[in-house]
Amino acid sequence: MMSRTLRRIAPQLVTLAVLAALISVVFPGFLEISVSDGRLVGPVIDILKRGATVALLAIGMTLVIATRGIDLSVGATIAITGAVAAWSISNGLGLAGALSLAIAVGLVAGLWNGVLVAIIGIQPIVATLILMTAGRGVAQLITEGRILTFSHDGLAFLGSGDVLGIPVPALLWPVTGIAVALLMRRTALGLLIEAIGINRRASALAGINARLLLIAVYMTSGLCAALAGIITAADIRGADANNAGLWLELDAILAVVIGGNSLMGGRFSVAASLFGAMIIQTIDTGILLAGFPSEYNLVIKAALVVAILVLQSPRLASTWIYWGMRLRNRRAADAARIREAGE
Amino acid sequence: MKRLLTMTVATLALGGAAASAQTVGFSQIGSESGWRAAETTLTQQQAEERGIDLRFSDAQQRQENQIAAIRSFIAQGVDAILLAPVVATGWDSVLEEAQEAEIPVVLLDRMVDSDPSLYLTAVGSDLVHEGEVAGQWLVDTVAGEDCRVVELQGTTGSSPAIDRANGFRAAIEGHDNIEIVRSQTGNFTRTEGKEVMESFLQAENGGADICALYAHNDDMAIGAIQAIEEAGLAPGSDILVVSIDAVPDIFLAMSEGKANATVELTPNMAGPAFDALDAYWNDGTMPPNFIQTESRLYTQSDDPMAEYEARRDLGY
Amino acid sequence: MLLTITELSKSFPGTRALDGVDFDLAAGEVHALLGENGAGKSTLIKCLTGAYQRDAGEILLDGQPIHPRSTSEAQELGIGTVYQEVNLLPNLSVAQNLTFGREPMRFGMTRGRAMRAEARETLKDYGLDIDVGRDLGSYSVAVQQIVAIARAVQLSGKVLILDEPTASLDAEEVRMIFDVVRALRDRGLGIIFVSHFLDQVFELTDRLTVLRNGRRIATERTAGINRMQLIEHMLGHELEEVEKKARRSAPGVPSDRPEMLRFAGLGRRGEVEPFDLTVRVGEVIGLAGLLGSGRTESAELMFGAKTAQTGGASDADGTVAIDNPRNAIAAGFGFAPEDRKTEGIVADLSVRENIVLALQASRGWARPIPRAEQNRLADMFIARLDIRTSDAEKAVGDLSGGNQQKVVLARWLAMNPRFLILDEPTRGIDVGAHAEILRLIQEITAEGMSIVVISSELEELIAVSDRVIVVRDRRHVAELTGSDIESETIVLWIAAPDAQDGRAA
């Protein structure tokens, strides 16, 4: 079991190692971690912390993509839930109130997407596009168009605090990821989600409640976006409806793809998507540390992403395996037929 | 010639009526940022103070909405039109219509590519000058001591990012003690300002090698201030912080000693615009083609808490 | 002969889609190609149009051997095809569609006027006088169909293949198409007409060829065969005597067995008229009928795959909810659908996962079947049903059709259902697996399970069924028991209303 998981995420681990080596060339102290004021400090820690939003989104996005869907609304959901958290904390609802309200709003956003996809039957890309475009407007209504700042140490702790020297966001995504991965694999959810992603009609005829599962999956994505929204707002002690989570849905999708998950749905690995998210953040942080002029940022990122996708290319690899197997099967079938003919 | 004629007619028609309430139409781009919301609020306040009847129209980022609004203002026969244009081109015909109706148009904040004879004047800030003011402050403050500066740029390729970078460089030119050691885009946002500042701190010996931060807007500076604090350094003393815009939150940071200076991009474009219009209505005084707003420098000694209070309700 | 096909063979993994088929087509002839689903019609056509490469055999066009490797190559050779779904571009004009790819040009620009004039001229030959400048999509399907025919004839000009061209047309439109087809025949084209509307075959065609299980069963002059003979050819009965001997030693005396389920007045508009059906313990009920008769729709209503508008099900304990598959499964039902690939298997999942899928779904997500139990179930069914796979973790999509079908059966057997519906359980699978599945049906009914089998193969139905229900024109028209379960009676019921004529002739 363990070795299978390891084999699944091996390409991502190799990619991370290669990236680390590359960045170490242009920035020698890349892998150094020191302790300052009881906190761990170093580029690697920054990556674990800064990659938290995309990693959280990638958890939900992995499940949505496994059902052959896509959730474009997560960036906007970050803006809404961040705004809700900031609004509630500055209106005296307290930490528990603000967190539960923000999470509830994230779940409602997921419910909306899920109902559009599973019950009304709108294509996922269209259904979630609605909230993607409208959501930021909702967030702006909450913040009244400005950056809604707050000063509440409890909430700020979630963005910039640390536990045992490790930044809270750097702890939040692995915990969420492990929880979701265990939930998927220790129950039958993973199998059922994969089944509806591969063949929804056959799954429904086998008695799987595809609608309910789809709604649950989009709600999970909304929940992950809410967590990302909370730490985004907590990080800067304010909710910026215009910019929070902007275009992050695309980074999340990219993380899932770099994680070797197929956009056509089916088999998925949450762990691989999380490593995908870390790969993206390693590139981002590496570019910042390298000190190139900012005009080159996107070009370098694009070149690296293309190189990674081509080189590790899980689809390419599986295509080779598939054709290899087809060839073997065919030879076996031919041999069988020749035997039959001979008899 | 035509302009002269217009002016004369306008003077004849309106000169006597200057005392009674004037009606001004204002076509605003939208409410995409706190600064623009403040501009709208201040324009309304300024109009109220002067007893001007302001007709407000929000174009929601669409030029066709603005053109429709201007036509409607012309039809209503307003006395002047304020226009914050969403794009630079495509205004000729509607501006000509206003001219034919003898209604003066004043551009706010952004420029258009049309012939200057088609509008009365334009009120705006000089982005390069803003960078110069920030740079000059740093030159004066470090007073010859060596200073390694990190720069948080605006969105790559945007004109504020280019102009504010150039202005700052022009001001520190010839002061070899000041050196920009790292420069990256923070996209004008708090989150990216914080993230990029974290990487600057990592790259520059935990921040020990950084003397000052220059941010192209206050929001990035506010994000960066948090990164500096979280790295265990004191923003405002260990690392000097200078930025541009003068939004309320930067005054809060200044009052806590975490930011040192900001250059104001005033949202009060309407004040100078109304001044120019009053003069024009009264005796036909032609304003200059471009009225540059003041790029005022605020430091910790300017009672930042009061400035914060004065700005907090403007809609930033 | 214009077109001569000899000994054409084509295999796919696990099935032999065409097995030494002969076929010929004369110039100035309309030749019908008939057969149930999976008989090999579409494979034959795809070999002709270059979509498939044949394994063996020869195709002669005008006496010259041809090897089309793509549809465009087939077109250049003179073979054009028109499908049920018009595959032209609805948002281009009629003229553009007609001349697409070979527009009249001058100075590198298309000449709209010349193009339209040419298109008008062309369509006049087809009795169509329409505005060729309008979008194709603004015209009826029949007109679009004629434009498609005109285009195919222009491009090819020797052989025209019409694949179910009338399936979505009303009577008047069908007449329009027929006039066009007759005109083309008179111009000397050879036309292959594929349809499952037997009336149209009799009305239009000169000769017909029947395929079944990839073999050619018969080629006859249409005028020399009656409806009943044709259906016998399509559904087959030559093996009847052999099969009868193989029949269950104790043919059921259904009325003696305890009743298990009763469907009353089950119906849905446009799918199947309300029908009653009583299912007894351990009984096999065959549903006989042609494709599109309402046999699959009956099964879908019984399983809740489509919700019935009228009627319901009941058993000894009262009403049984069958409004959706989950309720039907909870009531002990199972359904192996006709289209195995799109409705049966979950291709990328392993054999093991496919087998436990329904069981897991009924237990709910929170109670996963322990892996050891999954392995036990998978190994047990792989052994019991003789599923040929390297191991239980292989993806089902990589298995042959027969083994996929066995996996779907295993999925339901793992549920230990009381009522199983098998829609074409042996379609497209090889002879060996075919016999095994029939044996399995007998085995599981011996354990008390009741089964409804839908099949296009009469001898198969006759071999396994205790009772046969005949479905025609979306109605259950007859229930045959005992000695009535023989092919002539079944064919007679399927062929009605003109069955009496058929018998007289």
Side-chain angles (χ1 to χ4, degrees):
Chain A
M1 187 69 191
M2 199 56 222
S3 73
R4 267 182 68 164
T5 313
L6 213 59
R7 210 178 321 143
R8 171 68 178 80
I9 59 174
Q12 285 74 34
L13 290 176
V14 171
T15 307
L16 270 177
V18 171
L19 277 176
L22 271 178
I23 296 171
S24 295
V25 173
V26 289
F27 188 83
F30 177 65
L31 290 173
E32 282 170 19
I33 294 175
S34 58
V35 181
S36 133
D37 294 343
R39 303 163 58 112
L40 295 177
V41 178
V44 175
I45 302 297
D46 277 358
I47 289 171
L48 293 175
K49 178 185 165 191
R50 285 287 149 209
T53 40
V54 172
L56 283 167
L57 294 183
I59 295 168
M61 190 69 75
T62 305
L63 303 186
V64 171
I65 286 179
T67 67
R68 199 179 281 208
I70 200 129
D71 189 349
L72 295 180
S73 71
V74 288
T77 307
I78 285 185
I80 299 176
T81 52
V84 166
W87 179 88
S88 349
I89 209 89
S90 30
N91 283 274
L93 263 71
L95 185 59
L99 293 186
S100 18
L101 200 58
I103 286 173
V105 167
L107 289 171
V108 169
L111 178 66
W112 161 263
N113 286 331
V115 166
L116 288 185
V117 171
I119 295 183
I120 303 183
I122 303 177
Q123 283 180 3
I125 195 165
V126 179
T128 56
L129 194 62
I130 297 170
L131 192 55
M132 179 188 177
T133 41
R136 218 159 269 286
V138 173
Q140 281 164 349
L141 282 181
I142 298 170
T143 64
E144 294 168 357
R146 53 195 166 156
I147 299 179
L148 195 60
T149 46
F150 60 85
S151 53
H152 184 286
D153 291 341
L155 185 53
F157 177 80
L158 292 176
S160 45
D162 58 286
V163 173
L164 302 171
I166 303 168
V168 175
L171 289 170
L172 188 60
W173 67 262
V175 168
T176 312
I178 290 170
V180 171
L182 283 182
L183 183 68
M184 290 298 133
R185 297 306 170 192
R186 290 290 152 88
T187 69
L189 277 174
L191 172 67
L192 300 181
I193 286 172
E194 286 174 345
I196 61 173
I198 298 165
N199 190 336
R200 184 169 163 190
R201 171 92 183 137
S203 303
L205 286 177
I208 298 175
N209 194 340
R211 285 183 175 178
L212 197 67
L213 266 180
L214 277 175
I215 292 175
V217 161
Y218 281 91
M219 285 179 75
T220 308
S221 182
L223 170 71
C224 291
L227 293 176
I230 289 167
I231 61 167
T232 303
D235 179 38
I236 60 165
R237 299 188 183 86
D240 182 351
N242 284 313
N243 297 305
L246 196 61
W247 307 127
L248 285 192
E249 56 277 350
L250 300 183
D251 269 0
I253 294 167
L254 187 62
V256 174
V257 172
I258 291 180
N261 296 297
S262 165
L263 287 178
M264 296 305 291
R267 298 289 192 195
F268 67 89
S269 163
V270 171
S273 294
L274 289 176
F275 281 105
M278 286 306 119
I279 288 171
I280 294 175
Q281 188 59 45
T282 304
I283 294 173
D284 283 345
T285 302
I287 290 171
L288 292 180
L289 289 172
F292 298 120
S294 49
E295 288 83 352
Y296 294 100
N297 287 6
L298 297 176
V299 178
I300 297 172
K301 183 172 178 180
L304 283 173
V305 167
V306 168
I308 288 167
L309 288 179
V310 169
L311 289 178
Q312 82 176 28
S313 179
R315 303 303 299 165
L316 198 65
S318 64
T319 309
W320 288 121
I321 293 168
Y322 174 77
W323 284 110
M325 268 164 53
R326 279 281 295 265
L327 204 64
R328 268 206 302 283
N329 285 350
R330 198 157 154 190
R331 282 203 197 111
D334 285 344
R337 210 172 300 128
I338 291 163
R339 268 202 308 282
E340 271 170 26
E343 277 161 13
Chain B
M1 186 59 208
K2 194 174 181 186
R3 186 168 178 174
L4 194 68
L5 191 70
T6 309
M7 194 185 77
T8 321
V9 174
T11 313
L12 285 174
L14 301 168
S20 71
Q22 303 281 3
T23 305
V24 173
F26 175 28
S27 173
Q28 174 64 291
I29 294 176
S31 55
E32 74 279 5
S33 67
W35 184 88
R36 200 155 288 288
E39 184 187 42
T40 304
T41 312
L42 273 165
T43 306
Q44 283 160 343
Q45 281 181 4
Q46 289 285 339
E48 206 169 318
E49 279 173 24
R50 293 157 198 258
I52 290 171
D53 177 13
L54 189 77
R55 310 241 166 112
F56 177 72
S57 164
D58 181 336
Q60 307 192 332
Q61 317 291 330
R62 295 168 74 95
Q63 185 179 25
E64 56 266 37
N65 290 351
Q66 292 203 295
I67 290 175
I70 293 171
R71 295 218 164 106
S72 143
F73 292 148
I74 294 171
Q76 292 167 31
V78 297
D79 298 308
I81 294 171
L82 303 183
L83 168 65
V86 63
V87 293
T89 54
W91 298 101
D92 288 5
S93 71
V94 73
L95 289 178
E96 278 164 16
E97 287 168 37
Q99 193 167 56
E100 275 162 28
E102 293 152 10
I103 297 170
V105 176
V106 178
L107 304 179
L108 296 190
D109 169 41
R110 297 192 191 181
M111 298 299 290
V112 298
D113 282 345
S114 305
D115 189 271
S117 68
L118 287 174
Y119 51 86
L120 186 69
T121 183
V123 182
S125 69
D126 183 337
L127 295 164
V128 177
H129 181 59
E130 290 166 359
E132 284 168 359
V133 173
Q136 193 55 48
W137 173 84
L138 190 65
V139 169
D140 297 343
T141 304
V142 299
E145 281 182 42
D146 282 350
C147 187
R148 291 161 59 85
V149 181
V150 294
E151 181 186 33
L152 284 171
Q153 297 188 331
T155 305
T156 307
S158 69
S159 61
I162 295 168
D163 291 349
R164 287 174 178 177
N166 289 339
F168 187 83
R169 281 166 179 74
I172 62 171
E173 173 119 26
H175 301 272
D176 294 340
N177 57 320
I178 299 177
E179 182 195 2
I180 299 176
V181 290
R182 281 184 181 262
S183 188
Q184 253 297 340
T185 176
N187 269 323
F188 287 130
T189 69
R190 283 192 195 191
T191 305
E192 286 189 58
K194 184 172 183 182
E195 177 176 1
V196 174
M197 191 64 206
E198 282 172 358
S199 77
F200 285 166
L201 293 167
Q202 292 287 352
E204 296 295 329
N205 194 15
D209 295 347
I210 302 174
C211 142
L213 161 72
Y214 168 48
H216 286 189
N217 77 347
D218 291 337
D219 278 329
M220 290 192 291
I222 291 165
I225 285 168
Q226 291 175 5
I228 296 168
E229 284 184 298
E230 283 164 25
L233 297 172
S237 47
D238 291 339
I239 296 176
L240 300 175
V241 178
V242 56
S243 53
I244 298 174
D245 274 0
V247 303
D249 283 348
I250 199 74
F251 287 106
L252 214 52
M254 274 204 250
S255 73
E256 293 164 357
K258 294 173 182 171
N260 302 83
T262 185
V263 181
E264 183 175 45
L265 166 62
T266 178
N268 183 13
M269 301 279 170
F274 286 138
D275 289 344
L277 280 170
D278 275 341
Y280 175 70
W281 284 328
N282 277 327
D283 50 17
T285 309
M286 286 303 296
N289 273 338
F290 180 71
I291 301 172
Q292 186 184 327
T293 55
E294 190 189 357
S295 297
R296 192 181 154 190
L297 180 77
Y298 289 88
T299 62
Q300 290 175 357
S301 57
D302 287 315
D303 192 4
M305 212 50 212
E307 295 293 338
Y308 171 72
E309 293 297 338
R311 282 171 170 78
R312 60 180 300 183
D313 292 325
L314 291 180
Y316 273 107
Chain C
M1 279 294 157
L2 174 62
L3 179 76
T4 311
I5 297 171
T6 40
E7 291 283 314
L8 187 66
S9 290
K10 175 74 189 173
S11 292
F12 298 105
T15 57
R16 172 157 276 206
L18 284 179
D19 192 0
V21 169
D22 295 339
F23 181 86
D24 55 37
L25 179 69
E29 169 187 54
V30 182
H31 193 149
L33 187 59
L34 298 167
E36 289 284 277
N37 272 346
K41 291 171 298 186
S42 62
T43 310
L44 176 66
I45 287 171
K46 283 177 176 166
C47 286
L48 271 178
T49 58
Y52 288 160
Q53 303 304 305
R54 59 186 184 263
D55 296 343
E58 198 168 41
I59 302 176
L60 299 178
L61 183 66
D62 284 334
Q64 298 299 313
I66 58 166
H67 296 271
R69 276 182 298 272
S70 67
T71 36
S72 57
E73 208 176 309
Q75 276 173 1
E76 278 164 32
L77 289 165
I79 302 174
T81 314
V82 172
Y83 300 93
Q84 174 185 346
E85 308 288 339
V86 179
N87 54 350
L88 296 180
L89 304 165
N91 52 347
L92 291 188
S93 74
V94 172
Q96 282 168 321
N97 267 293
L98 265 177
T99 54
F100 185 75
R102 36 166 213 90
E103 299 91 340
M105 306 277 273
R106 189 167 57 189
F107 311 131
M109 311 279 281
T110 59
R111 297 173 53 207
R113 186 173 306 201
M115 187 166 85
R116 284 192 294 276
E118 189 190 317
R120 250 191 312 275
E121 207 50 44
T122 308
L123 288 182
K124 213 168 269 173
D125 293 348
Y126 294 84
L128 272 190
D129 186 14
I130 56 173
D131 178 2
V132 295
R134 268 174 62 189
D135 285 358
L136 180 69
S138 64
Y139 288 104
S140 70
V141 178
V143 169
Q144 295 186 31
Q145 202 65 266
I146 291 174
V147 172
I149 291 173
R151 179 177 162 82
V153 169
Q154 273 189 338
L155 289 176
S156 325
K158 289 180 186 167
V159 175
L160 178 63
I161 300 169
L162 300 174
D163 192 354
E164 299 274 7
T166 57
S168 45
L169 303 183
D170 64 30
E172 180 58 24
E173 292 175 324
V174 168
R175 204 186 48 74
M176 264 172 79
I177 301 283
F178 279 12
D179 288 345
V180 167
V181 172
R182 290 195 185 99
L184 290 173
R185 174 182 63 188
D186 296 344
R187 275 167 51 183
L189 261 74
I191 294 159
I192 302 175
F193 180 74
V194 181
S195 176
H196 65 270
F197 295 108
L198 300 189
D199 293 340
Q200 297 179 2
V201 168
F202 281 108
E203 188 187 336
L204 182 69
T205 65
D206 304 306
R207 282 198 299 162
L208 54 83
T209 290
V210 177
L211 300 182
R212 177 149 45 90
N213 288 336
R215 293 196 181 84
R216 190 190 67 159
I217 301 302
T219 299
E220 310 259 6
R221 280 195 319 107
T222 308
I225 188 171
N226 66 36
R227 193 183 175 88
M228 217 178 85
Q229 290 165 325
L230 176 57
I231 291 169
E232 278 178 0
H233 282 321
M234 288 169 67
L235 303 185
H237 78 294
E238 300 95 326
L239 295 173
E240 188 187 340
E241 292 309 310
V242 188
E243 292 287 340
K244 252 187 185 153
K245 283 176 198 146
R247 232 173 125 178
R248 310 167 62 162
S249 48
V253 191
S255 52
D256 286 0
R257 299 192 193 169
E259 195 176 304
M260 186 185 73
L261 271 172
R262 181 186 285 269
F263 296 95
L266 215 55
R268 184 181 167 94
R269 196 174 311 136
E271 306 277 348
V272 64
E273 305 263 305
F275 65 89
D276 298 333
L277 183 64
T278 304
V279 181
R280 296 186 175 83
V281 173
E283 185 183 29
V284 179
I285 300 171
L287 279 191
L290 293 176
L291 184 71
S293 60
R295 54 185 198 192
T296 295
E297 290 79 356
S298 300
E300 286 174 338
L301 291 190
M302 287 191 277
F303 188 66
K306 285 196 178 118
T307 311
Q309 286 168 333
T310 61
S314 59
D315 61 9
D317 299 328
T319 307
V320 176
I322 52 165
D323 50 328
N324 65 41
R326 269 174 296 123
N327 285 338
I329 292 168
F333 291 19
F335 176 44
E338 179 179 17
D339 193 337
R340 212 161 36 229
K341 281 206 183 335
T342 63
E343 303 195 323
I345 59 164
V346 182
D348 292 351
L349 290 188
S350 69
V351 172
R352 165 181 59 83
E353 288 165 319
N354 268 280
I355 289 176
V356 302
L357 197 59
L359 186 61
Q360 181 63 67
S362 71
R363 284 167 62 115
W365 62 268
R367 290 174 56 224
I369 304 168
R371 184 58 184 265
E373 174 67 8
Q374 293 187 24
N375 290 340
R376 192 189 65 76
L377 280 170
D379 292 342
M380 183 182 91
F381 282 108
I382 288 172
R384 181 173 162 199
L385 304 189
D386 194 20
I387 298 171
R388 311 273 167 80
T389 175
S390 50
D391 66 285
E393 297 310 312
K394 190 166 177 170
V396 160
D398 294 339
L399 266 48
S400 72
N403 286 306
Q404 291 178 353
Q405 186 66 36
K406 288 180 189 171
V407 170
V408 174
L409 280 176
R411 177 190 296 165
W412 294 117
L413 295 181
M415 300 284 293
N416 200 17
R418 53 176 172 160
F419 178 51
L420 203 50
I421 305 167
L422 308 177
D423 194 353
E424 295 278 14
T426 58
R427 161 123 79 81
I429 66 182
D430 57 57
V431 180
H434 199 276
E436 284 177 55
I437 284 171
L438 295 187
R439 179 183 53 76
L440 194 71
I441 289 173
Q442 304 195 345
E443 204 178 293
I444 56 185
T445 46
E447 295 167 12
M449 217 177 277
S450 307
I451 296 183
V452 164
V453 178
I454 298 172
S455 177
S456 296
E457 296 189 44
L458 281 190
E459 59 266 48
E460 182 177 303
L461 272 187
I462 292 163
V464 299
S465 304
D466 299 308
R467 250 191 309 161
V468 169
I469 311 286
V470 179
V471 191
R472 179 191 359 115
D473 296 336
R474 312 203 170 273
R475 284 192 303 133
H476 289 211
V477 293
E479 177 172 328
L480 310 175
T481 52
S483 60
D484 282 344
I485 304 182
E486 47 92 30
S487 66
E488 197 171 336
T489 317
I490 297 175
V491 167
L492 203 62
W493 278 104
I494 292 177
D498 46 345
Q500 298 311 317
D501 312 343
R503 193 162 246 185

